[in-house]
Amino acid sequence: MIVTIDGPAGAGKSSAARALAQLLNFEFLDTGSMYRAVALAALRAGVDPRDEPALSVLVAGLRLELPSGGQVLLDGEDATSAIRTREVTAATGAVADSPSVRGRLANMQRTIAEGRNVVCEGRDQGTIVFPDAGCKFFLFADPNERARRRQREMAARGESVAWETILRDQRVRDERDAARDLAPMKPAEDALLLDSTGLSPEEVVEAMAARVRQRMGGSS
Ligand code: DC
């Protein structure tokens, strides 16, 4: 069974997907980390993230491995932390617009999920990559609260960034993700819309688990 969780940055998708996967004994796939890894590879290779032909060559030759839920290996090297910097985050938006990158990563995501029980998290999981997923969520939250959560996450990693800066970056990213021609961020028609504003992570996961169990039991 595939469970998809899509939605904007900072809505709590990653922690919800991870906790839900653990609760259900499913695997967890963070697809944003794959786009980030391609952006990191482009930056390292000096490839302009808006240069589609160059990106297409780069992504075709890339060795990307996700040995466990959160870990990312890029050409054999552990890139789990390196993909979370602000520089990589900024380059990822352009990389995610690339048709060749989206095509290759969507294929990889389907291959990874083949025959498994997986919670997949991203922007296009319920709409494009897994349109037949057994259970779909679109998780969102008030933008101010999302920016505050991001700021806390960054502070935990030792990065101190002004809330206003995070809010501005977040708005740019949201607009870009939603306006993308290919696979724009939007709820699948059959997704359950969940607003995580004011909810604890446990409450979000509880609401999701209840829905998944209902779906697994065969009722709608
Ligand atoms: O979820 P995240 O912040 O790690 O995502 C990083 C970027 O990748 C973000 O700009 C949106 C993009 N992305 C995407 O286009 N499709 C996905 N399935 C996942 C992420």
Side-chain angles (χ1 to χ4, degrees), residues 6-10 13-14 30-36 83-84 88-97 102 109 121-125 129 150 173-174 176-177 180 182-183 185:
D6 292 306
K13 296 190 306 292
S14 284
D30 169 4
T31 60
S33 73
M34 300 169 82
Y35 287 91
R36 288 171 176 274
I83 60 168
R84 302 279 157 199
V88 172
T89 303
T92 307
V95 164
D97 284 344
R102 296 212 77 88
Q109 290 154 17
E121 177 243 309
R123 304 290 188 287
D124 59 349
Q125 299 298 287
V129 184
R150 263 288 169 211
R173 278 218 292 157
D174 284 353
R176 179 170 207 139
D177 287 339
R180 172 170 296 131
L182 250 185
M185 173 180 71

Side-chain angles (χ1 to χ4, degrees), residues 58-82:
L58 178 98
V59 76
L62 212 63
R63 196 153 58 86
L64 195 55
E65 293 160 277
L66 306 164
S68 66
Q71 210 188 4
V72 180
L73 301 185
L74 183 58
D75 292 324
E77 181 209 317
D78 190 345
T80 313
S81 307

